């Protein structure tokens, strides 16, 4: 947009740090330093300070807790540093005068873009304290940096936007009493010599907070905890570094201006400069850009059983979704999609679902956003989702669908924070009708549209959070649910086969979907619903890259079969070339549930009825495990076997079938349409 395709962009890695302190390649991006090299995914205790929804904010004392362990290394590196702490950014809140001045000064596309983003934040704020709670953190810091660079070149060392002074400071990474090792601090515990040359009795050598519910940090009878890791402190010890610090934003020297901060003036001037202005928005880039909703024309066709897919947007889930969209409408009628926000992707990746639906001509199917945390956990808790890797086949890869998301045609529907007073916002946004539907709302809408004789079949491809919430919130839900196909779970057997929690090696027998929300799994699987479980043992029989790629290679080519082939080929290549991607084949097994739902007896399934119980007792090394319990009142049908040859051929043949193929095959095809005038209709 800004005409700067020349600027390189890099992402950190997750190479890790060994217990001996060896720093491996590509370290430092995905996880805090103190978590690198540990046996679990880690990092969640810092991530949980970040608001998951619009309207959250960081407490002053926890801001640097997010990357607290890196900061001492940086501060003591000898690099000249200017710190812009919350003490300074708290002196430049976005007030009404600035907001309304900005509203009337939008002379460039980038100014319009920035104001729209700011207005959306204001309109969807969780309460009406926006003007006292929203600060110019990052942009103010950029202004301070630019001013220092400009002035320092001239030897003035002043700053136009902030008052600066030198201080002796450090960042505390642990808690008193220092030098008492309780197993929480990987920089000291178990080491004769501390890592990185840290002092044995210093501000980095105490208990490391393990989360917002860490009992060590709580003070009985008080709302204020005693933990200080993440605090930036002015100290006089050898652990301090001499750092230039911004203390507050400078007031506007022009007393007649409605803007009370000097930076506000510069910010609006810079955004509205025609020089270096943005080259184009999407409508300027494509002169015949138009938004079209693609919907199927079923006419008088008889439709099959109503189906909802509940997914957490892993690669296997997207292949399953495409497969279900290819199924004959007289077999299944896909009514809606529910999305878990506590699995393999962030909820904003709903955009990819919208794009796939647009490609396949199904912009009529609603998508509902589910919770971002497991059942029974705090609103900012992440006890279970922390096991999902950040990089290397985890959240970062999933959110881009391994780099292939941008090859999909762009849907007019997007994940959005647009809101209205009706749904709890303090004011209406410009487009409240665009608000992202919630999972329960989609469920209610589908339920209300059913014929009296119809019931819903649900296939779950992720944690069971959404279905459990539906069952707990809608007491009549079980009366309209015909069957549930649950992809996940691992039943402990005589062969002592292991689960797939490679990020939690202490839990040998659980499977990801069940561990991500064990209480939800218990709620659903131990209910009276008619449930067919597609366990890990069966998924592993459907997890051959060679066989599925070979089958796709010999099938007819359609846009969707080509897309799936590219995706699976990418996963296979990553697994072969990079050790951190060793787990890529676990996504292949997730497709089995969709195939069994559609094909049924055609893949010659074998089912066994088993009484089971789910372990959900808040113990990391046991949660999510499924055990045979002869005393259990609940039994599920378990898919124990199927014909793999039929399975692979039916996937490939379905994806390659010309019927119900993509309406628009790719973003490249879409941009070609947007670059030429629409055909005139003959009169």
């Amino acid at each position: 947009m800004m005409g700067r395709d020349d600027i390189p962009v890099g992402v950190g890695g997750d190479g890790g740090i060994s217990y001996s302190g060896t720093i491996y390649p590509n370290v430092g991006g995905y996880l805090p330093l103190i978590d690198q090299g540990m046996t679990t995914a880690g990092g969640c205790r810092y991530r949980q300070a970040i608001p998951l929804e619009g309207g959250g904010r960081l407490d002053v004392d926890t801001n640097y807790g997010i990357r607290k362990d890196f900061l001492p290394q940086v501060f003591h590196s000898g690099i000249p540093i200017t710190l812009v702490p919350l003490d300074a950014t708290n002196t430049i809140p976005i007030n009404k005068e600035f907001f309304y001045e900005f509203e009337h000064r939008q002379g460039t596309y980038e100014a319009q873009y920035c104001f729209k983003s700011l207005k959306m934040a204001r309109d969807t704020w969780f309460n009406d304290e926006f003007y006292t709670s929203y600060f110019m953190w990052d942009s103010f810091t950029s202004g301070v940096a630019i001013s220092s660079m400009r002035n320092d070149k001239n030897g003035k060392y002043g700053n136009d936007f902030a008052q600066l002074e030198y201080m002796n400071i450090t960042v505390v990474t642990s808690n008193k009493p220092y030098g008492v090792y309780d197993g929480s601090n990987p920089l000291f515990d178990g080491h004769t010599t501390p890592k990185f040359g840290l002092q044995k009795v210093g501000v980095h050598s105490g208990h490391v907070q393990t989360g917002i519910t860490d009992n060590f940090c709580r003070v009985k009878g008080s709302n204020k905890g005693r933990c200080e890791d993440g605090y930036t402190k002015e100290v006089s010890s050898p652990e301090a570094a001499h750092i230039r610090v911004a203390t507050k934003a400078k007031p506007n020297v022009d007393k007649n201006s409605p803007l009370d901060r000097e930076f506000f003036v510069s910010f609006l001037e810079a955004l509205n400069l025609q020089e270096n202005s943005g080259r184009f928005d999407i409508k300027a880039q494509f002169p015949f850009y138009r938004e079209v909703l693609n919907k199927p024309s079923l006419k008088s066709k008889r439709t099959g059983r109503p189906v909802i897919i509940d997914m957490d947007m892993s690669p296997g889930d997207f292949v399953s979704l495409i497969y279900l969209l290819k199924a004959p409408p007289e077999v299944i009628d896909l009514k809606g999609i529910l999305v878990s926000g506590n699995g393999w992707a962030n909820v904003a990746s709903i955009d990819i679902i919208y794009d796939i639906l647009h490609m396949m001509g199904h912009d009529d199917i609603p998508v509902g956003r589910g919770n971002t945390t497991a059942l029974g956990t705090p609103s900012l808790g992440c006890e279970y989702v922390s096991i999902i890797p950040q990089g290397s086949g985890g959240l970062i890869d999933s959110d881009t669908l391994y780099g292939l998301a941008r090859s999909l045609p762009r849907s007019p529907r997007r994940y959005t924070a647009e809101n209205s007073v009706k749904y709890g916002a303090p004011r209406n946004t410009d487009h409240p009708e665009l608000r992202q539907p919630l999972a329960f709302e989609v469920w209610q809408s589908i339920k209300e549209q059913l014929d009296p004789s119809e019931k819903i079949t649900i296939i779950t491809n992720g944690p069971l959070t959404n279905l459990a919430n539906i069952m707990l919130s809608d007491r009549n839900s079980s009366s309209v649910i015909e069957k549930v196909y649950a992809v996940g779970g691992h039943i402990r057997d005589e062969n002592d086969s292991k689960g797939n929690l490679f990020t939690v090696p202490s839990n040998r027998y659980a499977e990801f979907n069940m561990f991500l929300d064990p209480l939800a799994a218990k709620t659903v699987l131990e209910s009276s619903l008619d449930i067919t479980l597609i366990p890990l043992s069966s998924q592993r029989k459907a997890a051959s890259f060679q066989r599925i790629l070979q089958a796709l290679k010999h099938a007819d080519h359609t846009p969707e079969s080509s897309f799936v082939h590219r995706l699976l080929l990418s996963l296979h290549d990553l697994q072969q070339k990079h050790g951190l991607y060793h787990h890529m084949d676990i996504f292949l097994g997730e497709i089995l549930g969709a195939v069994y739902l559609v094909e049924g007896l055609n893949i010659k399934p074998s089912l066994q009825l088993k009484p089971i119980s789910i372990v959900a007792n808040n113990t990391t090394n046991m949660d999510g495990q499924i055990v045979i319990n002869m005393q259990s009142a609940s039994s599920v049908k378990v898919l124990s076997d199927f014909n793999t040859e039929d399975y692979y051929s039916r996937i490939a043949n379905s994806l390659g079938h010309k019927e119900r193929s993509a309406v628009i095959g790719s973003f490249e095809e879409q941009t070609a349409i947007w670059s030429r005038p629409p055909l005139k209709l003959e009169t």
Side-chain angles (χ1 to χ4, degrees), residues 238-315:
E239 291 179 307
H242 199 53
I243 300 295
R244 186 165 63 170
V245 179
T247 57
K248 63 180 179 180
K250 285 187 175 181
N252 188 357
V253 295
D254 182 1
K255 302 302 180 184
N256 297 319
S257 171
L259 304 173
D260 64 352
R261 296 289 183 267
E262 195 67 31
F263 176 70
F264 286 156
V265 178
S266 176
F267 180 81
L268 294 183
E269 287 177 351
L271 276 186
N272 285 283
L273 277 175
Q274 293 301 317
E275 184 182 3
N276 300 325
S277 182
R279 291 190 175 187
F280 39 60
D281 62 6
I282 193 166
K283 292 182 180 179
Q285 187 176 14
F286 302 108
F288 300 101
Y289 170 82
R290 52 196 179 275
E291 294 184 350
V292 178
L293 291 174
N294 298 322
K295 299 181 180 180
S297 177
L298 296 177
K299 297 179 182 177
S300 59
K301 285 185 178 179
R302 181 177 60 86
T303 56
R305 52 179 164 167
V307 171
I308 293 175
I309 181 173
D310 183 359
M311 55 192 283
D312 66 355
M313 301 184 290
S314 71

Side-chain angles (χ1 to χ4, degrees), residues 43 61 71 104 150 186 206 231 367 447 503 532 604 616 627 680:
D61 292 330
L71 288 170
H104 292 96
R150 180 174 58 231
Y231 281 31
V367 182
K447 179 183 170 184
T503 53
T532 299
K604 302 177 180 63
V627 295
K680 293 182 179 179

